[in-house]
Amino acid sequence: MKAIIPVAGAGTKLRPHTYTQPKALMPMAGKTILSVIVDALLDKGIDEYIFIIGYLGDKIQDYVLRTYPGLRCTFVTQNDRRGTGHAIWLTRDAVKNDEVLIVFGDTICDFDIDTVLQSETSQIGIRRVDDPRSFGVAEVDETNRVLKVVEKPLIPKSNMAMVGVYKIKETNALFSALDAYLHNRADADGEYHLTHALQHMIEQGIVFKAFKVNNWFDCGKKETLLETNATLLKTMSEQPGYTVPEFPDTVIIPPVNIASGCKIAHSIIGPSVSIGENTTIRSSIIRNSIIGSFAELDEVVLKSSIIGSDAYVHGMSQSLNIGDNTDIDLG
């Protein structure tokens, strides 16, 4: 079993942060989005990975090699962003004939990984949504067999969205379907979607079963990034041995994650706050926010905010979305 993790996207909905770092390396409860995904898979025994990189791909590669030394991994570059189908097709030489678990690099899901890995059929992760028109959609029967998959249907026949997690046993059939699809006309958006290859496999009689995920966070925009951060912090705080650091004249309201080297004084921090290493905070109130490393915040009141690394903010009460290396003084 190999894990394929596509992380080639530009992350336009998370700008300005993604001007300087890939979306998959956005901070999240003391980790990054990518490390949350990889750590969960490593814990279940998957030890070989294929990362599909593109935009700022050198930073992804450096991060993986530094954070997971000795990890069996291959980096495949998608120079042209031609869709998820094209991205997976690029991994064909690295996959060979092995089974794969595909997990999109901007998606964090809570599901029974062991059950999916041990299943005798290929699997597609799904979650009920109110408006499925923006997602790939799966039509499923009473036995959880997938009857049909459609990419962003105008008139959905199902409200079960595909969450970006797939176990594929028949990889030869997958790459054969992708190869045929890529030689035909792309969709109206100019991309080749993985959904169409999966539908071709279903039409060929290959069995896919659907599994439901408990939680699903598409970390492609600010709101879901903060929501995921809060959820992961809550889970972290429930683990044995969880503690919060102490700072002078400062109240810490769990759950929070404060990295090493931080200097905080005369402040109220939390709940649901992640702070990167070596950040300085003075006379501030911060809740439900993500603060990068080496940032400096002085006399601010923040909620539902993302502050990049090396940013400086002084004297304000707002909801912010500030990228790296920003200097703001509204005092």
Side-chain angles (χ1 to χ4, degrees):
M1 174 68 67
K2 296 176 180 176
I4 299 177
I5 305 180
V7 284
T12 55
K13 294 180 181 178
L14 278 173
R15 288 175 178 168
H17 306 282
T18 49
Y19 282 126
T20 55
Q21 66 178 334
K23 176 170 54 176
L25 298 188
M26 289 292 293
M28 181 74 64
K31 297 186 178 184
T32 63
I33 296 173
L34 183 59
S35 61
V36 171
I37 296 170
V38 172
D39 288 350
L41 300 183
L42 280 173
D43 187 56
K44 299 303 180 181
I46 298 180
D47 62 355
E48 190 165 357
Y49 294 79
I50 303 168
F51 298 95
I52 305 169
I53 59 175
Y55 177 75
L56 299 177
D58 56 332
K59 291 193 173 185
I60 293 280
Q61 186 166 341
D62 291 345
Y63 175 83
V64 170
L65 296 178
R66 183 179 67 254
T67 307
Y68 302 98
L71 184 71
R72 298 170 62 195
C73 58
T74 302
F75 297 92
V76 176
T77 302
Q78 185 185 28
N79 291 316
D80 299 321
R81 292 195 291 273
R82 298 170 59 193
T84 54
H86 175 251
I88 301 302
W89 179 75
L90 293 172
T91 69
R92 61 198 184 283
D93 291 336
V95 170
K96 297 182 172 63
N97 298 321
D98 293 331
E99 296 181 12
V100 296
L101 182 70
I102 302 170
V103 183
F104 287 0
D106 57 359
T107 299
I108 294 177
C109 294
D110 176 16
F111 65 99
D112 189 337
I113 299 176
D114 286 327
T115 298
V116 172
L117 295 180
Q118 295 166 11
S119 63
E120 297 181 355
T121 65
S122 292
Q123 300 272 312
I124 298 177
I126 61 173
R127 173 82 172 182
R128 187 186 302 274
V129 296
D130 293 331
D131 185 359
R133 291 175 296 176
S134 299
F135 305 95
V137 173
E139 298 176 21
V140 182
D141 69 12
E142 63 276 2
T143 68
N144 288 326
R145 179 166 178 165
V146 180
L147 304 176
K148 185 177 182 180
V149 292
V150 184
E151 183 66 26
K152 298 179 181 177
L154 292 176
I155 305 176
K157 295 184 179 180
S158 165
N159 60 356
M160 290 296 181
M162 295 187 289
V163 302
V165 180
Y166 310 88
K167 176 196 171 180
I168 309 294
K169 293 177 66 71
E170 303 85 355
T171 48
N172 283 336
L174 171 65
F175 290 117
S176 177
L178 286 170
D179 193 63
Y181 176 36
L182 288 165
H183 284 86
N184 293 322
R185 186 168 57 88
D187 285 2
D189 58 6
E191 296 189 353
Y192 297 90
H193 296 283
L194 176 61
T195 306
H196 296 294
L198 299 179
Q199 176 59 26
H200 180 78
M201 294 172 68
I202 292 170
E203 292 171 357
Q204 296 299 310
I206 294 174
V207 175
F208 282 84
K209 288 294 187 75
F211 66 93
K212 295 180 181 179
V213 301
N214 299 319
N215 288 303
W216 171 34
F217 300 99
D218 180 354
C219 300
K221 54 184 180 179
K222 172 190 171 186
E223 293 77 15
T224 50
L225 196 67
L226 290 171
E227 182 182 359
T228 308
N229 180 65
T231 300
L232 293 178
L233 285 173
K234 184 176 185 297
T235 300
M236 180 188 299
S237 70
E238 294 169 350
Q239 301 301 313
Y242 171 80
T243 59
V244 296
E246 296 182 358
F247 297 94
D249 302 313
T250 293
V251 176
I252 305 294
I253 306 173
V256 300
N257 181 267
I258 302 174
S260 61
C262 290
K263 298 178 181 178
I264 303 175
H266 307 288
S267 298
I268 300 175
I269 308 297
S272 304
V273 173
S274 289
I275 302 174
E277 62 184 6
N278 298 304
T279 283
T280 299
I281 300 175
R282 294 180 292 267
S283 304
S284 299
I285 301 174
I286 303 171
R287 61 185 174 92
N288 190 36
S289 297
I290 298 173
I291 313 298
S293 300
F294 297 94
E296 184 174 348
L297 281 64
D298 192 7
E299 297 181 351
V300 300
V301 180
L302 297 178
K303 64 177 181 179
S304 304
S305 300
I306 303 177
I307 307 296
S309 297
D310 296 299
Y312 172 78
V313 185
H314 174 262
M316 64 184 308
S317 175
Q318 294 290 340
S319 174
L320 298 177
N321 191 20
I322 297 174
D324 296 354
N325 302 299
T326 304
D327 189 339
I328 294 179
D329 186 346
L330 298 181

